[in-house]
Amino acid sequence: MIRKKWSSVPRCSLRYFSSVLEKREAKAKRQQEKELRQLEKLQNTTTQKEIKTDLSHAEYKCETESGAKKDVTCQLPSTYSSKFVEACWYEWWEKEGYFKPSKSRRNEDVFSLVIPPPNVTGKLHLGHALTVALEDVLCRWNRMRGKEVVWIPGCDHAGIATQAVVEKLLETKNTTRKDLGREKFVQEVWNWKDRKEEEIYDQLRVLGSSLDWTRTNFTLSPKFCHAVREAFIRLHEKDIIYRKKSLINWSCQLQSTISDIEIDNKQLEKPTMISVPGYRKKMEFGVLHTFDYPLVNPTTERNAISVSTTRIETMLGDTAIAVNPDDPRYSILIGSFVQHPLLPDMVLPIIADSYVDKNFGTGAVKITPAHDFRDFEIGSRHGLPSRIILDDQGNITNTGNPDFDNLPRFEAREKVIKSLDQAGLYKGKTSHEMTLPICSRSADVVEPRIKTQWFVRIQDLSQQAIEAVQTGKIQIVPDSYLASWYNWLSESEDWCISRQLWWGHRIPAYKVSTHTGESMWISAHTELEVKSKAEKIFGETGKLLTITQDDDVLDTWFSSALFPFVCFGWPENNPDLEKYYPLSLMETGYDLLFFWVARMAMMGIALTGKVPFNTVYLHNMVRDSQGRKMSKSLGNVIDPLQVIYGCSPQELDERIKMSNLSKKEEKYALKDRAKTLPHGIPECGTDALRFYLCFNKSTGKDISLDIHTVVQYRYFCNKIWNVFKFLLKNVRKHKTSEDTNIHVLRPVDHWIRSKFSAATHTTNTGLDSLNFSSASSIIHKFFFVDLADFYLESCKPVFSNDSSSAERVAIEKNFEFIFESFLRLLSPFMPYITEELWQRLPNKSENYQSIMIAGYPTEESHNFRNIQLENEMGNVRDAIQLIRNIRQTFHVPTSALTNISISCQNEDDHAFSSNVEVIKSLTKSCDIKIFNNGVEELPGFVSNNIRNTNIQVSVQLKGLIDIETELMSLRQKESLLKKELFDLEEKQKNIDKQQSLKKIQDKICKVKQSLLDLQNMISTLN
């Protein structure tokens, strides 16, 4: 029978005590907090009161060659030390080939995964650490299950981001990429890439990533370059890739097209002065300018039409004025013309378009098709010309008015306002809420511009990606992102893949012109291949050709979209591609769902005919403790190694100063660091960081980093360490490898086996459903609540006498069996400490050389579940907790032994009588009597019922406490509760909201019950 939750009201003050189960589960956390407070108290004696919460600074000092197995015969530190534990293991794992797929294979199942390739712009941050932790847990879990696991490492060249970083570095040397020239500049970027790639791979190794390093990929490697060219050529020849003139996002500072993901949309609620690169003073945004366009044929009622705009300088490129056809104010003007106020030779038509918002500004808008996305659409519908008045650098050009040509755009803004004002046409400005697009790479204001670029036709590809999810070929987890997937793909426009950069995949397209004036674009791997194709197309005229390759490079996301299959050798057909593709899983942040995941789906289907992955798991972002996105300019980006090894305030400041920030950004970052991490970052270790990242719910809300919580999981490691030391002290090496003699085990021994079986089931279920929080929390709970807090304590009396009885041997073996199984259960989450302790077990199995490839516990391998026993032991544990609570409530001295009486039904008698010694040892009791024929009246005892049962527990207090002192204490509590109840009832009278009223009423009920329990307790003592 499954035990019900407590709900009924028990006898004599039962609700005075907090929930027994809640207290039991909270005890472990309280113990950790106690240890942390003690440590902080000790540390507060230092002058700076640093929070350097190292439990031990011990380091592994045995001489061990790189790649050799760690010496596990050397003495263990007295307390857990991450530096000691995490030394040497990774190099040994890698050298032994445990990361290769063939090493773990025990069945035909395959688990394939690629790491989202980090950009070579700089070091990894905690967002990357979350990705690595989750993916490594899955790889290690599947490897221990005997699957053939392949996890591919790699880095992304990150064209625009890396070029921007290197250009910023060159600025510190007073030079530019144009000073160097393309070839030398690209070499500078390669040098940067080599340094950063090495740093990234070092970080991945420290994080314990079990990546197959023999399969490393880089998106600008020769293999990748060939695959990218082949992909472009195939799609171009199918007319999926094409070339056209269109409006794009342009960064004047980078002088390149940029994608939406490289734009930060800054929300402005009022006029705001903003620094723009290249300008000495700040420029004003968040205002709406209004000015007049004079009518060519004024009427008696009107001689001009007023328009409003946030970008008044673009009026130099206007080609029309638009009004809503249903706006009666302007209906008579539709079809007439206005005179451009600053370009005397230009007149503009007034057109009608339903897109115009009658309530925006004056209701009439200027149309600049070449420099506004909305205007471009209107211009296309009405056949308006597009006048390009901004060059690549953001200077005004080709206006027809030399007063404005060659002026930087925002200087031109000021001059336009001044000129209009002098002409009496400027009507002023008003505050205006707006979204300002800022280039995330350069902090420049993004400009829409018309350029001839290469595009990918999206409509058919996106429909295929939609159908792949609808038919279940691709599963998206969590499914809350399904609506976004469908909406984004169904509304996507063609993808611009041209970038005006030097670092990246140069577009393999060549403009071929003949001497007769014919020309066309041909895509090919080499110029020789182009010539061969051209000759077939042009015939004899193809022998005299001018061949020019496009100077632009491809959008980084184009090559990144090919990563899942190029990793396995595409476009060549090989066994790896057949075996490992499609991927079992694509795991990444939710912010990349569209920019990367959707494009991988489209490119995979288009180029391989298969979906690139079966499941997509989207995790959340890691933010700082204040909930802000981590950003270098904020100075809140944290390197995982800073958490693993610890970092002093001085070291953090030094890293900020070396981060290639502007002086303003550096000043802000230093100030923010002093506020958020005043004492630096304590040393936490890899295992603690990984467990913290997994323990947080990785779907739902973003994760706000809390360094102190990471430290708590270091204490988890220390607790495991202490339990292992207890094991070494009490479990002897046995000559025989026979299984535990279960016939001589106590009920509590069978109970822990059953609880572990339950934990195994929940952990595997959690990992199978990608619920990392559920899996890690059940492991954590089992260890603290069941193993360390209860079972270990129950074994102490047995281990206290040095006997070799069959019972003791069996209990020793059982304890080691459970602990060894627990280490394997925990291993995917905490690989270092589990390997260290597993290798040192007295009776470790020799079947496997590493815990990495040992079998993962399952319900089948640990088929010990006994729910009836769990229910019975649940009552025993509740009784123990109740006794402890009574002792604590009445301040019974810790050294005093008490007499206990338990009254229960016949069916519960066995559970208590067979666990008398366990109850004695865990409650400091000297005598326990069990009655099953009704409630026994016991003078001098305080009695309580286990909730929702008829089991009564009585503790003898007579002679152990001062009755008058306890009564005085209880009456003081009674007085406080009465006052609290009075205040709540008064507050209730003034509550209007139903929700708030219910909360107050619930609280009143709880206080009333507590008061009643307290009064019962006073009555009992009297």
Side-chain angles (χ1 to χ4, degrees), residues 820-835:
E820 189 273 344
S821 300
F822 163 74
L823 290 179
R824 284 188 281 133
L825 196 70
L826 178 64
S827 182
F829 298 90
M830 290 185 162
Y832 287 109
I833 190 172
T834 52
E835 184 76 82

mmCIF file with all atom_site columns, all heavy atoms in Angstrom, residues 820-835:
data_model
loop_
_atom_site.group_PDB
_atom_site.id
_atom_site.type_symbol
_atom_site.label_atom_id
_atom_site.label_alt_id
_atom_site.label_comp_id
_atom_site.label_asym_id
_atom_site.label_entity_id
_atom_site.label_seq_id
_atom_site.pdbx_PDB_ins_code
_atom_site.Cartn_x
_atom_site.Cartn_y
_atom_site.Cartn_z
_atom_site.occupancy
_atom_site.B_iso_or_equiv
_atom_site.pdbx_formal_charge
_atom_site.auth_seq_id
_atom_site.auth_comp_id
_atom_site.auth_asym_id
_atom_site.auth_atom_id
_atom_site.pdbx_PDB_model_num
ATOM 1   N N   . GLU A 1 820 ? 29.218 2.326  -4.307  1.00 0.00 ? 820 GLU A N   1
ATOM 2   C CA  . GLU A 1 820 ? 29.792 2.151  -5.647  1.00 0.00 ? 820 GLU A CA  1
ATOM 3   C C   . GLU A 1 820 ? 28.733 2.401  -6.711  1.00 0.00 ? 820 GLU A C   1
ATOM 4   O O   . GLU A 1 820 ? 29.001 3.053  -7.734  1.00 0.00 ? 820 GLU A O   1
ATOM 5   C CB  . GLU A 1 820 ? 30.359 0.730  -5.783  1.00 0.00 ? 820 GLU A CB  1
ATOM 6   C CG  . GLU A 1 820 ? 31.174 0.484  -7.053  1.00 0.00 ? 820 GLU A CG  1
ATOM 7   C CD  . GLU A 1 820 ? 30.337 0.056  -8.240  1.00 0.00 ? 820 GLU A CD  1
ATOM 8   O OE1 . GLU A 1 820 ? 29.173 -0.356 -8.052  1.00 0.00 ? 820 GLU A OE1 1
ATOM 9   O OE2 . GLU A 1 820 ? 30.840 0.126  -9.380  1.00 0.00 ? 820 GLU A OE2 1
ATOM 10  N N   . SER A 1 821 ? 27.530 1.915  -6.486  1.00 0.00 ? 821 SER A N   1
ATOM 11  C CA  . SER A 1 821 ? 26.435 2.137  -7.439  1.00 0.00 ? 821 SER A CA  1
ATOM 12  C C   . SER A 1 821 ? 26.076 3.619  -7.504  1.00 0.00 ? 821 SER A C   1
ATOM 13  O O   . SER A 1 821 ? 25.793 4.162  -8.586  1.00 0.00 ? 821 SER A O   1
ATOM 14  C CB  . SER A 1 821 ? 25.206 1.320  -7.031  1.00 0.00 ? 821 SER A CB  1
ATOM 15  O OG  . SER A 1 821 ? 25.494 -0.059 -7.017  1.00 0.00 ? 821 SER A OG  1
ATOM 16  N N   . PHE A 1 822 ? 26.109 4.277  -6.348  1.00 0.00 ? 822 PHE A N   1
ATOM 17  C CA  . PHE A 1 822 ? 25.850 5.719  -6.311  1.00 0.00 ? 822 PHE A CA  1
ATOM 18  C C   . PHE A 1 822 ? 26.896 6.484  -7.124  1.00 0.00 ? 822 PHE A C   1
ATOM 19  O O   . PHE A 1 822 ? 26.565 7.415  -7.862  1.00 0.00 ? 822 PHE A O   1
ATOM 20  C CB  . PHE A 1 822 ? 25.834 6.215  -4.865  1.00 0.00 ? 822 PHE A CB  1
ATOM 21  C CG  . PHE A 1 822 ? 25.988 7.706  -4.735  1.00 0.00 ? 822 PHE A CG  1
ATOM 22  C CD1 . PHE A 1 822 ? 24.947 8.559  -5.045  1.00 0.00 ? 822 PHE A CD1 1
ATOM 23  C CD2 . PHE A 1 822 ? 27.212 8.259  -4.332  1.00 0.00 ? 822 PHE A CD2 1
ATOM 24  C CE1 . PHE A 1 822 ? 25.096 9.937  -4.955  1.00 0.00 ? 822 PHE A CE1 1
ATOM 25  C CE2 . PHE A 1 822 ? 27.369 9.627  -4.239  1.00 0.00 ? 822 PHE A CE2 1
ATOM 26  C CZ  . PHE A 1 822 ? 26.314 10.474 -4.549  1.00 0.00 ? 822 PHE A CZ  1
ATOM 27  N N   . LEU A 1 823 ? 28.161 6.100  -7.008  1.00 0.00 ? 823 LEU A N   1
ATOM 28  C CA  . LEU A 1 823 ? 29.216 6.770  -7.785  1.00 0.00 ? 823 LEU A CA  1
ATOM 29  C C   . LEU A 1 823 ? 28.953 6.630  -9.283  1.00 0.00 ? 823 LEU A C   1
ATOM 30  O O   . LEU A 1 823 ? 29.131 7.586  -10.043 1.00 0.00 ? 823 LEU A O   1
ATOM 31  C CB  . LEU A 1 823 ? 30.588 6.185  -7.436  1.00 0.00 ? 823 LEU A CB  1
ATOM 32  C CG  . LEU A 1 823 ? 31.149 6.492  -6.056  1.00 0.00 ? 823 LEU A CG  1
ATOM 33  C CD1 . LEU A 1 823 ? 32.506 5.818  -5.872  1.00 0.00 ? 823 LEU A CD1 1
ATOM 34  C CD2 . LEU A 1 823 ? 31.269 7.990  -5.808  1.00 0.00 ? 823 LEU A CD2 1
ATOM 35  N N   . ARG A 1 824 ? 28.531 5.455  -9.713  1.00 0.00 ? 824 ARG A N   1
ATOM 36  C CA  . ARG A 1 824 ? 28.237 5.272  -11.137 1.00 0.00 ? 824 ARG A CA  1
ATOM 37  C C   . ARG A 1 824 ? 27.018 6.097  -11.554 1.00 0.00 ? 824 ARG A C   1
ATOM 38  O O   . ARG A 1 824 ? 26.965 6.634  -12.654 1.00 0.00 ? 824 ARG A O   1
ATOM 39  C CB  . ARG A 1 824 ? 28.020 3.788  -11.441 1.00 0.00 ? 824 ARG A CB  1
ATOM 40  C CG  . ARG A 1 824 ? 29.314 3.001  -11.481 1.00 0.00 ? 824 ARG A CG  1
ATOM 41  C CD  . ARG A 1 824 ? 29.100 1.578  -11.970 1.00 0.00 ? 824 ARG A CD  1
ATOM 42  N NE  . ARG A 1 824 ? 28.570 0.719  -10.929 1.00 0.00 ? 824 ARG A NE  1
ATOM 43  C CZ  . ARG A 1 824 ? 27.539 -0.108 -11.092 1.00 0.00 ? 824 ARG A CZ  1
ATOM 44  N NH1 . ARG A 1 824 ? 26.920 -0.156 -12.265 1.00 0.00 ? 824 ARG A NH1 1
ATOM 45  N NH2 . ARG A 1 824 ? 27.125 -0.869 -10.111 1.00 0.00 ? 824 ARG A NH2 1
ATOM 46  N N   . LEU A 1 825 ? 26.038 6.190  -10.660 1.00 0.00 ? 825 LEU A N   1
ATOM 47  C CA  . LEU A 1 825 ? 24.846 6.989  -10.954 1.00 0.00 ? 825 LEU A CA  1
ATOM 48  C C   . LEU A 1 825 ? 25.207 8.469  -11.112 1.00 0.00 ? 825 LEU A C   1
ATOM 49  O O   . LEU A 1 825 ? 24.658 9.183  -11.962 1.00 0.00 ? 825 LEU A O   1
ATOM 50  C CB  . LEU A 1 825 ? 23.820 6.816  -9.828  1.00 0.00 ? 825 LEU A CB  1
ATOM 51  C CG  . LEU A 1 825 ? 22.386 7.262  -10.118 1.00 0.00 ? 825 LEU A CG  1
ATOM 52  C CD1 . LEU A 1 825 ? 21.721 6.329  -11.117 1.00 0.00 ? 825 LEU A CD1 1
ATOM 53  C CD2 . LEU A 1 825 ? 21.570 7.305  -8.821  1.00 0.00 ? 825 LEU A CD2 1
ATOM 54  N N   . LEU A 1 826 ? 26.156 8.922  -10.298 1.00 0.00 ? 826 LEU A N   1
ATOM 55  C CA  . LEU A 1 826 ? 26.574 10.325 -10.287 1.00 0.00 ? 826 LEU A CA  1
ATOM 56  C C   . LEU A 1 826 ? 27.606 10.648 -11.362 1.00 0.00 ? 826 LEU A C   1
ATOM 57  O O   . LEU A 1 826 ? 27.753 11.803 -11.766 1.00 0.00 ? 826 LEU A O   1
ATOM 58  C CB  . LEU A 1 826 ? 27.146 10.656 -8.903  1.00 0.00 ? 826 LEU A CB  1
ATOM 59  C CG  . LEU A 1 826 ? 27.701 12.057 -8.659  1.00 0.00 ? 826 LEU A CG  1
ATOM 60  C CD1 . LEU A 1 826 ? 26.591 13.113 -8.772  1.00 0.00 ? 826 LEU A CD1 1
ATOM 61  C CD2 . LEU A 1 826 ? 28.372 12.139 -7.293  1.00 0.00 ? 826 LEU A CD2 1
ATOM 62  N N   . SER A 1 827 ? 28.308 9.644  -11.851 1.00 0.00 ? 827 SER A N   1
ATOM 63  C CA  . SER A 1 827 ? 29.483 9.858  -12.696 1.00 0.00 ? 827 SER A CA  1
ATOM 64  C C   . SER A 1 827 ? 29.284 10.788 -13.890 1.00 0.00 ? 827 SER A C   1
ATOM 65  O O   . SER A 1 827 ? 30.126 11.645 -14.146 1.00 0.00 ? 827 SER A O   1
ATOM 66  C CB  . SER A 1 827 ? 30.034 8.508  -13.172 1.00 0.00 ? 827 SER A CB  1
ATOM 67  O OG  . SER A 1 827 ? 31.199 8.697  -13.942 1.00 0.00 ? 827 SER A OG  1
ATOM 68  N N   . PRO A 1 828 ? 28.193 10.680 -14.671 1.00 0.00 ? 828 PRO A N   1
ATOM 69  C CA  . PRO A 1 828 ? 28.044 11.598 -15.797 1.00 0.00 ? 828 PRO A CA  1
ATOM 70  C C   . PRO A 1 828 ? 28.020 13.068 -15.389 1.00 0.00 ? 828 PRO A C   1
ATOM 71  O O   . PRO A 1 828 ? 28.434 13.940 -16.152 1.00 0.00 ? 828 PRO A O   1
ATOM 72  C CB  . PRO A 1 828 ? 26.703 11.185 -16.425 1.00 0.00 ? 828 PRO A CB  1
ATOM 73  C CG  . PRO A 1 828 ? 26.528 9.759  -16.032 1.00 0.00 ? 828 PRO A CG  1
ATOM 74  C CD  . PRO A 1 828 ? 27.119 9.660  -14.659 1.00 0.00 ? 828 PRO A CD  1
ATOM 75  N N   . PHE A 1 829 ? 27.533 13.342 -14.180 1.00 0.00 ? 829 PHE A N   1
ATOM 76  C CA  . PHE A 1 829 ? 27.434 14.723 -13.702 1.00 0.00 ? 829 PHE A CA  1
ATOM 77  C C   . PHE A 1 829 ? 28.750 15.195 -13.081 1.00 0.00 ? 829 PHE A C   1
ATOM 78  O O   . PHE A 1 829 ? 29.159 16.329 -13.283 1.00 0.00 ? 829 PHE A O   1
ATOM 79  C CB  . PHE A 1 829 ? 26.320 14.845 -12.658 1.00 0.00 ? 829 PHE A CB  1
ATOM 80  C CG  . PHE A 1 829 ? 24.950 14.509 -13.184 1.00 0.00 ? 829 PHE A CG  1
ATOM 81  C CD1 . PHE A 1 829 ? 24.476 13.211 -13.132 1.00 0.00 ? 829 PHE A CD1 1
ATOM 82  C CD2 . PHE A 1 829 ? 24.152 15.491 -13.733 1.00 0.00 ? 829 PHE A CD2 1
ATOM 83  C CE1 . PHE A 1 829 ? 23.219 12.889 -13.619 1.00 0.00 ? 829 PHE A CE1 1
ATOM 84  C CE2 . PHE A 1 829 ? 22.885 15.188 -14.223 1.00 0.00 ? 829 PHE A CE2 1
ATOM 85  C CZ  . PHE A 1 829 ? 22.423 13.885 -14.169 1.00 0.00 ? 829 PHE A CZ  1
ATOM 86  N N   . MET A 1 830 ? 29.382 14.336 -12.306 1.00 0.00 ? 830 MET A N   1
ATOM 87  C CA  . MET A 1 830 ? 30.616 14.669 -11.611 1.00 0.00 ? 830 MET A CA  1
ATOM 88  C C   . MET A 1 830 ? 31.686 13.634 -11.957 1.00 0.00 ? 830 MET A C   1
ATOM 89  O O   . MET A 1 830 ? 31.956 12.710 -11.178 1.00 0.00 ? 830 MET A O   1
ATOM 90  C CB  . MET A 1 830 ? 30.383 14.712 -10.097 1.00 0.00 ? 830 MET A CB  1
ATOM 91  C CG  . MET A 1 830 ? 29.544 15.871 -9.617  1.00 0.00 ? 830 MET A CG  1
ATOM 92  S SD  . MET A 1 830 ? 29.453 15.904 -7.795  1.00 0.00 ? 830 MET A SD  1
ATOM 93  C CE  . MET A 1 830 ? 28.926 17.591 -7.494  1.00 0.00 ? 830 MET A CE  1
ATOM 94  N N   . PRO A 1 831 ? 32.307 13.743 -13.116 1.00 0.00 ? 831 PRO A N   1
ATOM 95  C CA  . PRO A 1 831 ? 33.215 12.683 -13.572 1.00 0.00 ? 831 PRO A CA  1
ATOM 96  C C   . PRO A 1 831 ? 34.496 12.556 -12.770 1.00 0.00 ? 831 PRO A C   1
ATOM 97  O O   . PRO A 1 831 ? 35.041 11.455 -12.644 1.00 0.00 ? 831 PRO A O   1
ATOM 98  C CB  . PRO A 1 831 ? 33.505 13.077 -15.021 1.00 0.00 ? 831 PRO A CB  1
ATOM 99  C CG  . PRO A 1 831 ? 33.251 14.550 -15.087 1.00 0.00 ? 831 PRO A CG  1
ATOM 100 C CD  . PRO A 1 831 ? 32.140 14.808 -14.127 1.00 0.00 ? 831 PRO A CD  1
ATOM 101 N N   . TYR A 1 832 ? 34.989 13.660 -12.206 1.00 0.00 ? 832 TYR A N   1
ATOM 102 C CA  . TYR A 1 832 ? 36.299 13.618 -11.555 1.00 0.00 ? 832 TYR A CA  1
ATOM 103 C C   . TYR A 1 832 ? 36.254 12.945 -10.186 1.00 0.00 ? 832 TYR A C   1
ATOM 104 O O   . TYR A 1 832 ? 37.005 12.009 -9.921  1.00 0.00 ? 832 TYR A O   1
ATOM 105 C CB  . TYR A 1 832 ? 36.860 15.033 -11.420 1.00 0.00 ? 832 TYR A CB  1
ATOM 106 C CG  . TYR A 1 832 ? 37.326 15.626 -12.725 1.00 0.00 ? 832 TYR A CG  1
ATOM 107 C CD1 . TYR A 1 832 ? 36.627 16.659 -13.328 1.00 0.00 ? 832 TYR A CD1 1
ATOM 108 C CD2 . TYR A 1 832 ? 38.475 15.163 -13.359 1.00 0.00 ? 832 TYR A CD2 1
ATOM 109 C CE1 . TYR A 1 832 ? 37.049 17.213 -14.528 1.00 0.00 ? 832 TYR A CE1 1
ATOM 110 C CE2 . TYR A 1 832 ? 38.911 15.707 -14.554 1.00 0.00 ? 832 TYR A CE2 1
ATOM 111 C CZ  . TYR A 1 832 ? 38.187 16.739 -15.137 1.00 0.00 ? 832 TYR A CZ  1
ATOM 112 O OH  . TYR A 1 832 ? 38.613 17.265 -16.325 1.00 0.00 ? 832 TYR A OH  1
ATOM 113 N N   . ILE A 1 833 ? 35.384 13.407 -9.303  1.00 0.00 ? 833 ILE A N   1
ATOM 114 C CA  . ILE A 1 833 ? 35.350 12.835 -7.954  1.00 0.00 ? 833 ILE A CA  1
ATOM 115 C C   . ILE A 1 833 ? 34.888 11.388 -8.001  1.00 0.00 ? 833 ILE A C   1
ATOM 116 O O   . ILE A 1 833 ? 35.361 10.550 -7.214  1.00 0.00 ? 833 ILE A O   1
ATOM 117 C CB  . ILE A 1 833 ? 34.443 13.671 -7.003  1.00 0.00 ? 833 ILE A CB  1
ATOM 118 C CG1 . ILE A 1 833 ? 34.625 13.181 -5.565  1.00 0.00 ? 833 ILE A CG1 1
ATOM 119 C CG2 . ILE A 1 833 ? 32.992 13.652 -7.429  1.00 0.00 ? 833 ILE A CG2 1
ATOM 120 C CD1 . ILE A 1 833 ? 33.931 14.050 -4.534  1.00 0.00 ? 833 ILE A CD1 1
ATOM 121 N N   . THR A 1 834 ? 33.997 11.052 -8.925  1.00 0.00 ? 834 THR A N   1
ATOM 122 C CA  . THR A 1 834 ? 33.525 9.669  -9.003  1.00 0.00 ? 834 THR A CA  1
ATOM 123 C C   . THR A 1 834 ? 34.631 8.736  -9.482  1.00 0.00 ? 834 THR A C   1
ATOM 124 O O   . THR A 1 834 ? 34.760 7.610  -8.986  1.00 0.00 ? 834 THR A O   1
ATOM 125 C CB  . THR A 1 834 ? 32.296 9.562  -9.921  1.00 0.00 ? 834 THR A CB  1
ATOM 126 O OG1 . THR A 1 834 ? 32.585 10.168 -11.192 1.00 0.00 ? 834 THR A OG1 1
ATOM 127 C CG2 . THR A 1 834 ? 31.104 10.263 -9.308  1.00 0.00 ? 834 THR A CG2 1
ATOM 128 N N   . GLU A 1 835 ? 35.452 9.190  -10.429 1.00 0.00 ? 835 GLU A N   1
ATOM 129 C CA  . GLU A 1 835 ? 36.581 8.354  -10.879 1.00 0.00 ? 835 GLU A CA  1
ATOM 130 C C   . GLU A 1 835 ? 37.596 8.188  -9.759  1.00 0.00 ? 835 GLU A C   1
ATOM 131 O O   . GLU A 1 835 ? 38.095 7.089  -9.499  1.00 0.00 ? 835 GLU A O   1
ATOM 132 C CB  . GLU A 1 835 ? 37.244 8.994  -12.098 1.00 0.00 ? 835 GLU A CB  1
ATOM 133 C CG  . GLU A 1 835 ? 38.361 8.169  -12.720 1.00 0.00 ? 835 GLU A CG  1
ATOM 134 C CD  . GLU A 1 835 ? 37.841 6.993  -13.548 1.00 0.00 ? 835 GLU A CD  1
ATOM 135 O OE1 . GLU A 1 835 ? 37.465 7.204  -14.711 1.00 0.00 ? 835 GLU A OE1 1
ATOM 136 O OE2 . GLU A 1 835 ? 37.830 5.859  -13.011 1.00 0.00 ? 835 GLU A OE2 1
#
